Amino acid sequence: THRSASMASAGGKVEETSTGSTLGAAATPEHVALCFDALLAHFKGESPPKEAFDTSVKHPLFVTWKKYSARHKDYDLRGCIGYLSPIPLSKLKQYALTSALKDHRFPPMQPEEMKHLHCGVSLLVNYEEGKAWNDFEIGKHGIIIEFGFTNGDHFNATYLPEVAKEQGWDHKQTIDTLIRKAGYRGKITSQLRDAISLTRYQSSKAGLTYDEWRAMRGHTKHPI
């Protein structure tokens, strides 16, 4: 199953929020360029090019698409889908397309949108069990919450490390909005927060705009 994470960052080209020595692989611009390659190939009905990196390395990963908004003068979320268990990087092309075309919060992406896009790839590392619902550092940790009830209802959701910082949330706001994202519509109480099982993680992140991807691939004209 796919799990989506909203509002992943549209930040700089390469950012590491964990120490390099702990990473099996760091996200790179080449990972992101492949996502653009896969989307272009999809729109043109072609096969995407072969990866220029080791595809056997396994990581939990997310692909985030954002689209430039002239009204907001910033990039707005357009799709974000990932997988929270380690998968080989050979799956990156698949998740690039899933995020662009099958995020249920948005209509499938269209070819004319490509020139307005930013793509980000996050490789997730350093999973740790939290001691409490607020046992995470804003701006450093992504979080996964899980909670359930005796009637069998079970809820879970995740935010990537940059979400709470970008939104200006404190720990309580972060958890409460994530509870809603998980689909729970009941009253949020201190007892509910205390019943949450929290896992925290960090990420290595890379991103490219459409123009940066074009320059990287040597496309002097718009390829589509």
Side-chain angles (χ1 to χ4, degrees):
T1 56
H2 304 298
R3 299 185 186 180
S4 61
S6 63
M7 296 171 285
S9 172
K13 286 193 177 181
V14 178
E15 302 172 31
E16 290 192 23
T17 53
S18 55
T19 56
S21 62
T22 63
L23 293 173
T28 69
E30 184 58 42
H31 292 135
V32 185
L34 183 74
C35 295
F36 273 108
D37 294 341
L39 187 60
L40 176 64
H42 168 78
F43 287 142
K44 297 178 75 172
E46 300 173 352
S47 297
K50 184 176 174 59
E51 298 90 341
F53 49 84
D54 184 358
T55 58
S56 65
V57 175
K58 293 183 178 182
H59 264 294
L61 61 85
F62 276 80
V63 177
T64 302
W65 294 100
K66 289 194 170 188
K67 181 180 177 181
Y68 187 78
S69 166
R71 183 162 63 99
H72 298 150
K73 292 182 169 41
D74 201 356
Y75 285 90
D76 293 335
L77 184 67
R78 187 60 181 83
C80 182
I81 297 287
Y83 203 72
L84 291 169
S85 297
I87 55 174
L89 292 183
S90 59
K91 298 284 189 181
L92 184 58
K93 289 182 286 192
Q94 171 188 331
Y95 278 90
L97 293 181
T98 301
S99 178
L101 305 170
K102 297 181 180 180
D103 187 325
H104 63 84
R105 297 168 294 178
F106 306 97
M109 201 173 286
Q110 300 301 310
E112 59 269 19
E113 296 182 77
M114 269 200 81
K115 64 181 67 173
H116 305 294
L117 295 178
H118 177 285
C119 183
V121 171
S122 298
L123 303 184
L124 311 185
V125 297
N126 295 351
Y127 279 62
E128 300 173 303
E129 184 177 340
K131 296 180 176 64
W133 65 265
N134 57 357
D135 185 20
F136 63 96
E137 184 177 331
I138 291 174
K140 178 180 180 180
H141 294 118
I143 55 173
I144 305 164
I145 63 167
E146 298 184 66
F147 58 97
F149 299 92
T150 54
N151 64 1
D153 287 345
H154 184 79
F155 300 87
N156 64 74
T158 187
Y159 277 152
L160 293 176
E162 55 270 20
V163 171
K165 184 177 180 180
E166 286 184 350
Q167 298 301 311
W169 292 335
D170 59 21
H171 287 79
K172 182 173 175 289
Q173 290 170 315
T174 301
I175 289 297
D176 287 1
T177 57
L178 192 52
I179 289 171
R180 293 301 187 213
K181 184 187 172 195
Y184 180 71
R185 297 293 176 258
K187 184 178 180 180
I188 299 175
T189 63
S190 58
Q191 289 80 12
L192 177 61
R193 294 187 197 97
D194 288 340
I196 285 172
S197 172
L198 181 138
T199 302
R200 65 189 190 189
Y201 59 85
Q202 299 175 52
S203 73
S204 172
K205 184 175 62 179
L208 292 172
T209 65
Y210 169 81
D211 287 336
E212 289 169 336
W213 164 72
R214 278 180 60 205
M216 191 171 168
R217 291 296 193 242
H219 295 305
T220 56
K221 298 180 180 180
H222 293 299
I224 194 168

